[in-house]
Amino acid sequence: MPSLHDSTRGRILFGGDYNPEQWPEETWLEDVRLMKEAGVNSVTLGVFSWARIEPRPGARDFGWLDRLMDLMRLNGIGVVLATPTCSPPPWMGSRHPETLPRDEDGRTVWWGSRQQFCPSSPVYRGYAAALTEDLAARYGGHPALRMWHINNEYCTHCWCDETARHFRTWLRARHGTIDALNEAWGTAFWSQRYDTWDEIIPPRRAQYMKNPAQVLDFRRFTSDALLECYVAERDIVARHTPRTPVTSNFMPLWSGQDAWKWAEHEDVVSVDLYPDPRDPHGGQYNAMLGDMTRSQARGPWALLEQAAGAVNWRGVNHPKPRGLNRLWSLQSVAHGADAICYFQWRQSRQGAEKFHSGMLSHAGEQGRTFQEVKRIGSELALLGPLLEGTGVRSEIAILHDWDSWWADQQDGRLSAHVDYPEIVRSWHRALWESNLPTAFARPDHDLSAYRLVVVPHLYLLDDIAIDNLVRYVRDGGTLVSGFLTGVADQDDRVRAGGMDARLRELFGIRTVHEWWPLDADETVECDGFSATLWSEELEVSTGETVASYGSGELTGLPAIVRNGRAWYVSTLPEPAALRALLARVAGDAGARPVLDGLPQGVEAVRRGELLFLLNHGAKSVTVPVPGRHQDLLGKRCVDGSVELERHGVALLRARTPA
Ligand code: GAL
Ligand code: ZN
């Protein structure tokens, strides 16, 4: 199987989406000159080129792309070639309206933007396959080709009649018989029993709350339907170029795709990262998504898109202050990325994204953005050979699962304030602030390599996952679980006792009597700390109460329970308390921080033999580092400590005594 290494060949890929069809050909020459100046070695072509390549059904205009591919080859720049199937041309919707998605109300999603395709439409799939076939036949042998990029951020949803048919086929494969489906969906409730498969529809607009098991299956189905589109195109390009890796860029922590499952079908796992430059925890967020993507990739991953400055889809879009683009780029490398790319190379002057930054901004080559991009390019060129074949080690895994997320975020639950990604973020932040390196895993993965496994919140756990967690602790692992975990089975059926019996035994809990969600602005006191969001009325069996509720209805009852190496945290402790708790448990489990005594806001990451020190804080700091090192970026000797300016980075290699 090809891998990212087949694209990078010992370098870090550096570049971005390049949309030259938006510019006159003279501009292409200037682009190439500046790309070389910036150390760009990779451009992603074709992402939105469908209408240009196929101006009318079945036509092909490849001449411009031929010239571009050759231009890139002549200049030593590799091409990540996209199948342009995420944005069908207007002729498709106009001639084949059934390819357009319908929303839950049956309203059509029209052309005039992008991504207006129904993943279940055979007509859409037919056109996409034909174009992919021709693209692969034409460029499969081109020396500039480094990687295939299928579609772009697969994210469409559709509730149309074709989707209904497709959904039924998917359901038959999952449930076998209509009786089994009725059982799994609990259709005895509210007279929802299905007599035949034909009666089943996607969960469309309804009078009141929808059947949660149906919604859950529909989310699984939608992820799978998109995956089928991906696999169909991947198979075509792979047939032409079995040695060229294939990817499709994920949106980070995006609910619409089960990225664990998708990653199994990708040669290269890639992601697009857009933390908010104003977010005081943006660095932690970037770290978390790097950890997650690396774990999905089980090795090096590709950052296929980030912004050199502002995006243009937030309410207020802030540029990146000096140094932040470099800091977050090097941080991604530290977390295992072997490709640092942007959306996009040259900032557009027209269209919906004209205020979205580019590597080459409206300010041009003298602009600060481009000057910083050049610096990043030269540093990455230096790093590539040093990092070749290296990885990032973590002794702690955070469990994350799409099924659970989907089941959790539905109507009819006890608290609408429970925001799954935010909870995952809180737990990652607690570990990150203690400089404890983390990986992510799915609850049914082999966890034996980790000293500590944390479960921020997994409402749904199937039997395989539960047995896996129990076995993990029995075999010597330490497990810390957050609230409302192990409540539902794979069909969103609540397990008796408020938590699966095997888990209750594991945590030493006899019964979860009631869940007590907290109001948005409510806090509850526990022994020495406050907590938010959630609380639970627990009765312990063999578990020891580590902290009790000290205010509210649950005063005196256990908040945190420990049963040997298994811990259950029935609320969300404030950040400092969660950090202290996890640092203590991690220490007991033998997991070590990368460095001790780091100033606040400074992150240390080890990749291979290199130690990255990253200053996410607002001020310059002195960082104590035991021993003697060489800073490969600052070209200085580091003896005992190093100065880092705001957004500063040091890349240290130990100096062997002469
Ligand atoms: C991504 C997308 C790009 C561009 C970018 C803007 O979601 O793949 O095409 O739109 O966002 O931030
Ligand atoms: Zn549809």
Side-chain angles (χ1 to χ4, degrees):
M1 220 172 96
S3 71
L4 182 52
H5 189 259
D6 295 296
S7 304
T8 59
R9 303 175 189 171
R11 297 159 314 170
I12 290 176
L13 291 192
F14 181 62
D17 280 22
Y18 181 36
N19 297 300
E21 63 269 44
Q22 297 172 11
W23 299 90
E25 295 203 12
E26 306 84 79
T27 313
W28 301 0
L29 299 175
E30 184 185 84
D31 283 331
V32 167
R33 172 177 69 78
L34 293 173
M35 283 175 187
K36 283 164 61 177
E37 205 177 306
V40 165
N41 56 30
S42 173
V43 292
T44 304
L45 287 174
V47 178
F48 296 108
S49 305
W50 197 338
R52 178 71 205 261
I53 297 175
E54 187 172 8
R56 59 203 65 82
R60 295 288 183 263
D61 177 2
F62 281 127
W64 66 281
L65 193 50
D66 291 349
R67 292 196 289 286
L68 274 162
M69 293 291 290
D70 292 345
L71 184 65
M72 293 304 141
R73 179 182 51 87
L74 277 174
N75 288 281
I77 299 169
V79 173
V80 177
L81 189 56
T83 62
T85 52
C86 84
S87 199
W91 58 253
M92 175 119 43
S94 148
R95 292 189 186 218
H96 306 287
E98 71 276 23
T99 61
L100 297 170
R102 302 297 150 104
D103 72 7
E104 290 170 78
D105 290 326
R107 290 177 306 197
T108 303
V109 176
W110 297 96
W111 62 90
S113 177
R114 66 181 190 186
Q115 278 148 332
Q116 74 289 357
F117 66 89
C118 166
S120 298
S121 161
V123 175
Y124 161 77
R125 289 189 182 197
Y127 276 111
L131 183 54
T132 301
E133 183 71 48
D134 290 356
L135 203 67
R138 191 168 191 100
Y139 301 110
H142 198 286
L145 178 70
R146 291 275 180 283
M147 198 186 331
W148 291 106
H149 177 299
I150 304 295
N151 202 282
N152 186 65
E153 293 188 342
Y154 274 105
C155 63
T156 55
H157 283 72
C158 185
W159 283 259
C160 76
D161 290 343
E162 191 60 54
T163 298
R165 278 189 284 278
H166 192 195
F167 185 36
R168 287 173 205 136
T169 309
W170 185 94
L171 289 168
R172 273 177 194 265
R174 180 173 176 87
H175 297 287
T177 64
I178 196 82
D179 287 346
L181 175 135
N182 278 308
E183 175 63 31
W185 286 9
T187 56
F189 184 78
W190 282 351
S191 178
Q192 291 173 353
R193 181 184 168 278
Y194 293 96
D195 199 43
T196 66
W197 293 99
D198 294 346
E199 295 161 6
I200 299 172
I201 52 172
R204 293 181 180 150
R205 166 80 52 220
Q207 184 66 19
Y208 189 42
M209 288 189 274
K210 299 176 193 180
N211 180 316
Q214 178 190 5
V215 174
L216 173 59
D217 268 354
F218 188 66
R219 303 212 68 167
R220 290 173 170 138
F221 156 79
T222 298
S223 175
D224 284 358
L226 291 168
L227 181 58
E228 279 176 17
C229 293
Y230 165 80
V231 167
E233 294 185 25
R234 180 208 62 187
D235 286 351
I236 295 170
V237 299
R239 180 158 42 73
H240 287 271
T241 55
R243 306 173 95 81
T244 304
V246 186
T247 193
S248 183
N249 49 338
F250 290 146
M251 282 190 270
L253 200 49
W254 157 246
S255 67
Q257 279 171 299
D258 178 344
W260 288 122
K261 188 168 183 183
W262 276 66
E264 291 166 12
H265 298 272
E266 295 189 303
D267 301 321
V268 171
V269 176
S270 63
V271 72
D272 303 341
L273 300 182
Y274 293 100
D276 186 346
R278 279 285 173 98
D279 179 350
H281 305 292
Q284 176 257 320
Y285 183 59
N286 207 48
M288 176 178 92
L289 296 167
D291 291 342
M292 192 177 280
T293 312
R294 184 184 70 250
S295 306
Q296 286 154 3
R298 295 173 186 269
W301 54 282
L303 173 53
L304 271 200
E305 288 183 25
Q306 62 171 342
V311 299
N312 73 329
W313 38 261
R314 292 196 169 95
V316 178
N317 297 287
H318 302 283
K320 287 183 172 166
R322 183 179 296 280
L324 187 59
N325 178 11
R326 173 174 179 264
L327 174 69
W328 284 352
S329 297
L330 291 169
Q331 183 191 27
S332 289
V333 173
H335 285 264
D338 275 358
I340 298 296
C341 301
Y342 295 80
F343 176 85
Q344 58 175 330
W345 160 252
R346 184 186 277 272
Q347 186 167 19
S348 297
R349 289 174 63 188
Q350 291 180 290
E353 294 186 320
K354 59 188 178 297
F355 292 118
H356 190 292
S357 58
M359 299 167 83
L360 186 61
S361 72
H362 293 151
E365 61 183 293
Q366 297 313 323
R368 171 174 70 82
T369 300
F370 186 67
Q371 295 305 313
E372 290 191 41
V373 161
K374 282 201 315 194
R375 177 174 183 197
I376 298 167
S378 68
E379 291 181 339
L380 293 181
L382 178 97
L383 277 182
L386 297 172
L387 288 171
E388 199 180 348
T390 61
V392 184
R393 263 179 53 95
S394 31
E395 299 175 312
I396 302 175
I398 301 174
L399 302 191
H400 159 56
D401 181 41
W402 267 266
D403 272 353
S404 185
W405 183 1
W406 291 331
D408 188 53
Q409 306 281 284
Q410 296 207 32
D411 292 340
R413 60 207 175 109
L414 290 177
S415 169
H417 301 306
V418 172
D419 178 340
Y420 176 81
E422 276 305 311
I423 297 169
V424 174
R425 224 179 135 166
S426 301
W427 281 66
H428 180 275
R429 180 180 153 196
L431 294 161
W432 184 82
E433 287 179 344
S434 297
N435 256 277
L436 289 159
T438 51
F440 278 81
R442 201 169 62 186
D444 59 337
H445 284 164
D446 177 3
L447 303 171
S448 56
Y450 301 107
R451 291 177 185 273
L452 171 65
V453 167
V454 306
V455 179
H457 159 55
L458 287 174
Y459 160 78
L460 179 157
L461 283 173
D462 65 15
D463 288 342
I464 295 174
I466 289 172
D467 290 339
N468 194 40
L469 298 184
V470 171
R471 191 177 330 111
Y472 169 73
V473 177
R474 191 195 57 209
D475 292 349
T478 300
L479 179 77
V480 186
S481 172
F483 65 79
L484 199 66
T485 288
V487 173
D489 73 5
Q490 69 286 343
D491 298 317
D492 197 15
R493 186 185 287 106
V494 175
R495 295 174 182 274
M499 181 195 281
D500 177 82
R502 288 157 290 184
L503 289 180
R504 276 185 280 128
E505 190 184 334
L506 182 69
F507 296 124
I509 293 170
R510 180 165 298 119
T511 311
V512 181
H513 288 285
E514 293 291 347
W515 294 293
W516 292 81
L518 304 180
D519 280 328
D521 49 1
E522 193 179 350
T523 57
V524 63
E525 294 310 311
C526 300
D527 296 330
F529 64 92
S530 60
T532 56
L533 206 57
W534 196 264
S535 57
E536 294 182 6
E537 187 176 340
L538 302 178
E539 182 185 331
V540 297
S541 52
T542 51
E544 159 203 345
T545 299
V546 178
S548 307
Y549 289 107
S551 68
E553 295 282 353
L554 303 183
T555 300
L557 295 182
I560 301 179
V561 177
R562 171 186 190 176
N563 194 28
R565 290 186 308 274
W567 298 64
Y568 186 69
V569 183
S570 68
T571 182
L572 183 65
E574 61 184 331
L578 188 59
R579 185 171 67 226
L581 174 74
L582 292 183
R584 170 184 160 193
V585 180
D588 291 350
R592 297 273 156 259
V594 178
L595 277 187
D596 288 311
L598 285 175
Q600 206 190 347
V602 175
E603 178 186 15
V605 190
R606 247 180 234 294
R607 180 166 172 192
E609 297 196 326
L610 301 185
L611 176 64
F612 288 74
L613 296 176
L614 305 134
N615 182 12
H616 299 279
K619 297 202 177 78
S620 58
V621 280
T622 306
V623 185
V625 202
R628 301 182 68 211
H629 293 84
Q630 184 70 27
D631 177 6
L632 303 174
L633 297 176
K635 310 234 172 4
R636 54 187 168 170
C637 295
V638 171
D639 213 343
S641 72
V642 61
E643 283 295 312
L644 290 182
E645 57 184 10
R646 179 187 184 215
H647 298 149
V649 183
L651 182 56
L652 304 187
R653 186 164 57 188
R655 277 159 43 116
T656 37

Coordinates of all heavy atoms in Angstrom, one line a residue, residues 19-56:
N19 N -5.6 27.4 -7.4 CA -6.7 27.5 -8.2 C -6.4 28.4 -9.4 O -7.0 29.5 -9.6 CB -7.9 28.0 -7.5 CG -8.3 27.1 -6.4 OD1 -8.7 25.9 -6.6 ND2 -8.3 27.5 -5.1
P20 N -5.5 28.0 -10.3 CA -5.0 28.9 -11.4 C -6.1 29.2 -12.4 O -5.9 30.2 -13.1 CB -3.9 28.1 -12.0 CG -4.1 26.7 -11.6 CD -4.8 26.7 -10.3
E21 N -7.1 28.4 -12.4 CA -8.2 28.7 -13.4 C -8.9 30.0 -13.1 O -9.6 30.6 -13.9 CB -9.2 27.6 -13.5 CG -10.0 27.2 -12.3 CD -9.3 26.2 -11.4 OE1 -8.1 26.3 -11.2 OE2 -10.0 25.3 -10.9
Q22 N -8.6 30.6 -11.9 CA -9.2 31.9 -11.6 C -8.3 33.0 -12.0 O -8.7 34.2 -11.8 CB -9.4 32.0 -10.0 CG -10.3 31.0 -9.5 CD -10.3 31.0 -7.9 OE1 -9.8 31.9 -7.3 NE2 -11.0 30.0 -7.4
W23 N -7.2 32.7 -12.7 CA -6.2 33.8 -13.1 C -5.8 33.6 -14.5 O -5.8 32.5 -15.0 CB -5.0 33.7 -12.2 CG -5.3 33.8 -10.7 CD1 -5.7 32.9 -9.8 CD2 -5.4 35.1 -10.0 NE1 -6.0 33.4 -8.6 CE2 -5.8 34.8 -8.7 CE3 -5.2 36.4 -10.3 CZ2 -6.0 35.7 -7.7 CZ3 -5.4 37.4 -9.4 CH2 -5.8 37.0 -8.1
P24 N -5.4 34.7 -15.1 CA -4.8 34.6 -16.5 C -3.5 33.9 -16.5 O -2.8 33.9 -15.5 CB -4.6 36.1 -16.9 CG -4.7 36.9 -15.7 CD -5.5 36.1 -14.7
E25 N -3.2 33.3 -17.6 CA -2.0 32.4 -17.6 C -0.7 33.1 -17.3 O 0.2 32.5 -16.7 CB -1.9 31.6 -18.9 CG -3.1 30.6 -19.1 CD -2.8 29.5 -20.1 OE1 -1.6 29.3 -20.5 OE2 -3.8 28.8 -20.4
E26 N -0.6 34.4 -17.5 CA 0.6 35.2 -17.2 C 0.9 35.1 -15.7 O 2.0 35.0 -15.2 CB 0.5 36.7 -17.5 CG 0.2 37.1 -18.9 CD -1.3 37.1 -19.1 OE1 -2.0 38.1 -18.7 OE2 -1.8 36.1 -19.7
T27 N -0.2 35.1 -14.9 CA -0.1 35.0 -13.5 C 0.6 33.7 -13.1 O 1.3 33.6 -12.0 CB -1.5 35.2 -12.8 OG1 -2.1 36.3 -13.4 CG2 -1.3 35.4 -11.3
W28 N 0.3 32.6 -13.8 CA 0.9 31.3 -13.4 C 2.4 31.4 -13.3 O 3.0 30.7 -12.5 CB 0.5 30.2 -14.5 CG -0.9 30.0 -14.7 CD1 -2.0 30.7 -14.1 CD2 -1.5 29.1 -15.6 NE1 -3.2 30.2 -14.6 CE2 -2.9 29.2 -15.5 CE3 -1.0 28.2 -16.5 CZ2 -3.8 28.5 -16.3 CZ3 -1.9 27.4 -17.3 CH2 -3.3 27.6 -17.1
L29 N 3.0 32.2 -14.2 CA 4.5 32.2 -14.2 C 5.0 32.9 -13.0 O 6.0 32.5 -12.4 CB 5.0 32.9 -15.5 CG 4.6 32.2 -16.8 CD1 5.1 32.9 -18.0 CD2 5.2 30.7 -16.8
E30 N 4.3 34.0 -12.6 CA 4.6 34.7 -11.4 C 4.4 33.8 -10.2 O 5.2 33.7 -9.2 CB 3.8 36.0 -11.2 CG 4.2 36.8 -10.0 CD 3.3 38.0 -9.8 OE1 2.3 37.8 -9.1 OE2 3.7 39.1 -10.2
D31 N 3.3 33.0 -10.3 CA 3.0 32.1 -9.2 C 4.2 31.1 -9.0 O 4.7 30.9 -7.8 CB 1.8 31.3 -9.5 CG 0.5 32.1 -9.3 OD1 0.5 33.0 -8.4 OD2 -0.5 31.8 -9.9
V32 N 4.7 30.6 -10.1 CA 5.7 29.6 -10.0 C 7.0 30.2 -9.4 O 7.7 29.6 -8.6 CB 5.9 28.9 -11.3 CG1 7.2 28.1 -11.3 CG2 4.8 28.0 -11.6
R33 N 7.3 31.4 -9.9 CA 8.5 32.1 -9.4 C 8.4 32.3 -7.9 O 9.3 32.0 -7.1 CB 8.6 33.5 -10.1 CG 9.7 34.4 -9.5 CD 9.9 35.7 -10.2 NE 8.8 36.6 -10.1 CZ 8.6 37.4 -9.0 NH1 9.4 37.3 -7.9 NH2 7.6 38.2 -8.9
L34 N 7.3 32.7 -7.4 CA 7.1 33.0 -6.0 C 7.0 31.7 -5.2 O 7.5 31.6 -4.0 CB 5.9 33.9 -5.7 CG 6.0 35.3 -6.3 CD1 4.7 36.1 -6.2 CD2 7.2 36.0 -5.5
M35 N 6.4 30.7 -5.8 CA 6.4 29.4 -5.1 C 7.8 28.9 -4.8 O 8.1 28.4 -3.7 CB 5.6 28.3 -5.9 CG 4.1 28.5 -5.9 SD 3.4 27.3 -7.1 CE 1.7 27.8 -7.0
K36 N 8.6 29.0 -5.8 CA 10.0 28.6 -5.6 C 10.7 29.4 -4.6 O 11.5 28.9 -3.7 CB 10.7 28.6 -7.0 CG 10.3 27.4 -7.8 CD 10.6 27.4 -9.2 CE 12.1 27.5 -9.6 NZ 12.2 27.5 -11.1
E37 N 10.4 30.7 -4.6 CA 11.0 31.6 -3.6 C 10.6 31.2 -2.2 O 11.4 31.3 -1.2 CB 10.6 33.0 -3.9 CG 11.5 34.0 -3.4 CD 11.0 35.4 -3.8 OE1 10.8 35.7 -5.0 OE2 10.9 36.3 -2.8
A38 N 9.4 30.7 -2.1 CA 8.8 30.3 -0.8 C 9.1 28.9 -0.4 O 8.7 28.4 0.7 CB 7.3 30.6 -0.7
G39 N 9.8 28.1 -1.2 CA 10.1 26.7 -0.9 C 8.9 25.8 -1.1 O 8.8 24.7 -0.5
V40 N 7.9 26.3 -1.9 CA 6.7 25.4 -2.1 C 7.1 24.2 -2.9 O 7.7 24.4 -4.0 CB 5.6 26.2 -2.8 CG1 4.5 25.3 -3.4 CG2 5.0 27.2 -1.8
N41 N 6.8 23.0 -2.5 CA 7.1 21.8 -3.2 C 5.9 21.0 -3.6 O 6.0 19.9 -4.1 CB 8.1 21.0 -2.5 CG 7.6 20.6 -1.1 OD1 6.4 20.5 -0.9 ND2 8.5 20.4 -0.2
S42 N 4.7 21.5 -3.3 CA 3.5 20.8 -3.5 C 2.3 21.7 -3.7 O 2.1 22.7 -2.9 CB 3.2 19.9 -2.3 OG 1.9 19.3 -2.5
V43 N 1.5 21.5 -4.8 CA 0.3 22.3 -5.0 C -0.9 21.3 -5.2 O -0.7 20.3 -5.8 CB 0.3 23.3 -6.2 CG1 1.3 24.4 -5.9 CG2 0.7 22.6 -7.5
T44 N -2.0 21.7 -4.7 CA -3.2 20.8 -4.9 C -4.0 21.5 -6.1 O -4.5 22.6 -5.9 CB -4.0 20.8 -3.6 OG1 -3.2 20.3 -2.6 CG2 -5.2 19.8 -3.8
L45 N -4.1 20.8 -7.1 CA -4.8 21.3 -8.3 C -6.2 20.6 -8.5 O -6.3 19.4 -8.2 CB -4.0 21.0 -9.6 CG -2.7 21.9 -9.8 CD1 -2.0 21.4 -11.1 CD2 -3.1 23.3 -10.0
G46 N -7.1 21.3 -9.1 CA -8.3 20.7 -9.6 C -9.5 20.6 -8.6 O -10.5 20.1 -9.0
V47 N -9.3 21.0 -7.4 CA -10.4 20.8 -6.4 C -11.7 21.3 -6.9 O -12.8 20.7 -6.7 CB -10.0 21.5 -5.0 CG1 -11.1 21.3 -4.0 CG2 -8.7 20.9 -4.5
F48 N -11.7 22.5 -7.5 CA -13.0 23.1 -7.9 C -13.0 23.3 -9.4 O -13.5 24.3 -9.9 CB -13.3 24.4 -7.2 CG -13.4 24.2 -5.7 CD1 -12.4 24.6 -4.8 CD2 -14.6 23.6 -5.2 CE1 -12.6 24.4 -3.4 CE2 -14.7 23.4 -3.8 CZ -13.7 23.8 -2.9
S49 N -12.4 22.4 -10.1 CA -12.3 22.6 -11.6 C -13.3 21.8 -12.5 O -13.1 21.8 -13.7 CB -10.8 22.1 -12.0 OG -9.9 22.8 -11.2
W50 N -14.3 21.3 -11.9 CA -15.2 20.4 -12.7 C -15.7 21.2 -13.9 O -15.6 20.7 -15.1 CB -16.3 19.8 -11.8 CG -17.0 18.7 -12.5 CD1 -17.1 18.3 -13.8 CD2 -17.8 17.7 -11.8 NE1 -17.8 17.2 -14.0 CE2 -18.3 16.8 -12.8 CE3 -18.1 17.5 -10.5 CZ2 -19.1 15.7 -12.5 CZ3 -18.9 16.4 -10.2 CH2 -19.4 15.5 -11.1
A51 N -16.3 22.4 -13.7 CA -16.9 23.1 -14.8 C -15.9 23.5 -15.8 O -16.2 23.7 -17.0 CB -17.7 24.3 -14.2
R52 N -14.7 23.7 -15.4 CA -13.6 24.1 -16.4 C -13.2 22.8 -17.2 O -13.0 23.0 -18.4 CB -12.4 24.6 -15.6 CG -11.2 25.0 -16.4 CD -11.5 26.3 -17.2 NE -10.7 26.4 -18.4 CZ -9.6 27.1 -18.5 NH1 -9.2 27.8 -17.5 NH2 -8.9 27.1 -19.6
I53 N -13.1 21.7 -16.6 CA -12.7 20.5 -17.3 C -13.8 19.9 -18.1 O -13.6 19.5 -19.3 CB -12.2 19.4 -16.3 CG1 -11.0 19.9 -15.6 CG2 -11.8 18.1 -17.1 CD1 -10.5 19.0 -14.5
E54 N -15.0 20.0 -17.6 CA -16.2 19.4 -18.3 C -17.2 20.5 -18.5 O -18.3 20.5 -17.8 CB -16.8 18.2 -17.5 CG -17.8 17.4 -18.3 CD -18.3 16.1 -17.5 OE1 -17.8 15.9 -16.4 OE2 -19.0 15.4 -18.2
P55 N -17.0 21.4 -19.4 CA -17.9 22.6 -19.5 C -19.3 22.2 -19.9 O -20.3 23.0 -19.6 CB -17.3 23.4 -20.6 CG -16.3 22.6 -21.3 CD -15.9 21.5 -20.4
R56 N -19.5 21.1 -20.6 CA -20.8 20.6 -20.8 C -20.8 19.1 -20.7 O -19.6 18.5 -20.8 CB -21.4 21.1 -22.2 CG -20.6 20.7 -23.4 CD -20.9 21.7 -24.5 NE -20.4 23.0 -24.2 CZ -19.1 23.5 -24.3 NH1 -18.2 22.6 -24.8 NH2 -18.8 24.7 -23.9

